[in-house]
Each structure stands twice: as structure tokens, then as C-alpha cells.
Amino acid sequence: MQYIERKSMLYKTGVEYGDYTMNHVQGCSHGCKYPCYAFLMAKRFGRVHTYEAWCSPVLVSNTLELLDKEIPRLKSKIQSVQLCFTTDPFMYGYPEITEMSIAAIRKLNAAGIKCTALTKGLLPVELSEMSLENEYGITLVSLDEEYRQRMEPGAAPYKERLDALRALHDAGCKTWVSIEPYPTPNLIEQSLQELLSAVSFTDRIIFGRTNYNKEVSSYRSHREFYNKYAKEVIRFCEEHKIAFHIKDGTITER
Ligand code: SF4
């Protein structure tokens, strides 16, 4: 594991849902090929130069010290902190990252700050001992392992990912799923209903289209496809009383 030091940790995001965030790792071994927006940005701003470098994560060694400094100053402004926005807090096969994420959540919770986590790795069961205000999510865009290996080569297998989420749900935690970036049929033929059924135990589902992918934008009826599938998600969530959010730009007709 490589380490770096940083000067700051908590910052406010400009994304649709989410308040403050922290990214205590540079790069991500999951190496998603949708492509990964965080990788594209890191390349554009010169923080990494190659895909291989992106896939070799670098942990911020002074994460906890930075939180100790920043929490007292920011705590009255923060509603929640999302781990993470440009990397993955529970990177598959990196226990040092998981340990640091758990320690960071513990510190934020101790200051009365709620945390939201999203991963394509494995959510550790220790999270069930933290504040029940926290929300734990996984990204799940398919149930087909062949697709996972092709598009998220370093991430956790889907079944393991789902089992870890289910364990937290069963322990009484709030759970959610991000079905984004959902693939068009020219990337993979699959059943959205099957995917929704697999995550029907969760409290919230987020659904969004794939962006920055030529194959998706060249799929002739991608707009109609996303309009139709977003409606299916809404119908499913309403029927099962699950909260939902459809990402901006996914529905293009009203
Ligand atoms: S898990 Fe997230 S941050 Fe990591 S490579 Fe995939 S999309 Fe990028």
C-alpha cells in the first residue's frame, strides 16, 4: 500500500444528492470501465497519468488527524458526510482502506455527524455497531459476473457485495443501492426486474443512465430505453414502498 499526506479532507460536494464528502484515497483498484468519471477527472487534472496508476490506490495517511482538525470547525454546517465521491471506501482486497474508513466513520459519528457510504467492495459487518443514522450502499448494475469482470474488474463479486449489504440490513442498518451506470442492451441483455427483486430489501434505490460511453450513446434508442426503465424503477419502488431517486438526465421525457 502506498501513502500520501494531504492538507484537507472534508469538502462540500456539488452533486444532486449529498452534502459533505471525504476522499481519503487517491485512485481505485476497482478500475471500472464504464468509464469511471473520477478517473477521467484525475487524468484531466494531471493527478494520475495512466489506468494502471489509477488502479494502484494511495491512502491518505493523515486522514484521522485532518478530521480531528476539521470536524470542530465544520460540524455545525454538516448534515452528512458521504464516503466517498472520487474513490471507494471499502476497496476490495485492501484492509488498510477499510480500517481507515471505519475509523473515520467512528470519528464523525462521535461528533454527531451522520455518514453515508457507497462501495463496489464489501461493507464490513462492524458498521452495524455504528450510528443507526448512517446509510450503507452498494453499486449494483447487473447480476451477471461476466459483466462485472468486464466492467468492474477489481471490484467485489456481485453476490458477495449483496450478501454484505443484506447482513447490515438484517442487523437493523439503513441500506441503499445505486443502480448506476445502468447499461443499455448493446452492453448486456439482462432483466431489470430480476435486479430490482435482488435489492428489494433495501430502503432506497437510485437509478441512473450511463454517461461518457460511446457505445451507450450510439445505441439507437437509448433515450427511450432509459425513459422506460426509469419508469419501471419508479413503479417497482412505489409498489414495494422503497424510497427512490432517478438521477438527472436519465428521464428525458415527462
Ligand atoms: S469503484 Fe467508483 S471510483 Fe472506483 S473505479 Fe469504479 S467508478 Fe471509479
Side-chain angles (χ1 to χ4, degrees):
M1 184 90 235
Q2 304 173 71
Y3 294 90
I4 43 164
E5 288 211 348
R6 284 225 183 113
K7 292 200 164 55
S8 62
M9 185 52 59
L10 294 167
Y11 73 96
K12 198 161 169 57
T13 69
V15 297
E16 291 169 62
Y17 60 97
D19 181 38
Y20 275 74
T21 188
M22 58 177 279
N23 298 297
H24 50 300
V25 185
Q26 179 175 294
C28 180
S29 64
H30 294 163
C32 302
K33 297 188 172 172
Y34 316 121
C36 165
Y37 182 73
F39 169 51
L40 295 182
M41 288 300 109
K43 226 164 102 175
R44 181 159 158 201
F45 293 107
R47 287 193 291 274
V48 294
H49 300 289
T50 62
Y51 175 76
E52 290 67 30
W54 174 255
C55 293
S56 306
V58 184
L59 181 58
V60 177
S61 60
N62 60 336
T63 298
L64 301 178
E65 290 85 337
L66 288 171
L67 289 178
D68 282 337
K69 265 196 239 160
E70 294 174 10
I71 289 173
R73 184 164 47 83
L74 293 170
K75 104 175 161 184
S76 62
K77 296 186 191 151
I78 299 177
Q79 309 277 321
S80 67
V81 172
Q82 166 138 0
L83 292 83
C84 298
F85 185 48
T86 64
T87 183
D88 195 300
F90 299 112
M91 219 172 281
Y92 192 54
Y94 284 87
E96 305 92 326
I97 294 175
T98 292
E99 271 165 37
M100 187 71 94
S101 301
I102 290 175
I105 293 173
R106 194 169 281 130
K107 222 175 243 306
L108 289 158
N109 283 172
I113 300 170
K114 162 186 163 174
C115 295
T116 304
L118 178 65
T119 188
K120 293 188 186 83
L122 300 181
L123 289 161
V125 77
E126 293 97 300
L127 292 173
S128 64
E129 294 153 15
M130 313 238 176
S131 166
L132 289 177
E133 286 298 304
N134 294 342
E135 296 178 15
Y136 306 119
I138 59 167
T139 300
L140 196 76
V141 296
S142 175
L143 294 171
D144 182 326
E145 263 307 287
E146 189 278 324
Y147 186 72
R148 201 274 305 157
Q149 282 168 13
R150 180 154 54 102
M151 300 304 267
E152 306 169 355
Y158 290 140
K159 183 171 180 320
E160 285 184 43
R161 218 183 288 181
L162 255 176
D163 288 349
L165 186 72
R166 178 103 215 184
L168 289 180
H169 165 81
D170 291 348
C173 301
K174 290 184 198 157
T175 56
W176 60 290
V177 169
S178 171
I179 306 182
E180 188 205 14
Y182 194 74
T184 43
N186 57 334
L187 290 179
I188 181 174
E189 288 278 358
Q190 62 176 6
S191 157
L192 175 63
Q193 281 301 321
E194 219 177 286
L195 185 57
L196 290 169
S197 298
V199 297
S200 62
F201 64 88
T202 61
D203 302 294
R204 184 160 50 108
I205 293 178
I206 292 185
F207 181 77
R209 57 162 292 158
T210 299
N211 290 303
Y212 316 107
N213 181 310
K214 286 198 186 98
E215 279 182 80
V216 169
S217 44
S218 68
Y219 179 64
R220 204 167 33 90
S221 34
H222 68 274
R223 286 202 180 80
E224 291 81 355
F225 173 81
Y226 284 121
N227 286 330
K228 179 170 167 241
Y229 276 58
K231 281 183 196 150
E232 248 186 64
V233 172
I234 294 171
R235 200 177 314 119
F236 183 92
C237 290
E238 285 176 347
E239 268 170 34
H240 291 79
K241 302 197 171 18
I242 301 170
F244 64 86
H245 175 80
I246 307 296
K247 294 290 291 284
D248 285 355
T250 302
I251 299 181
T252 49
E253 62 163 25
R254 292 285 162 189

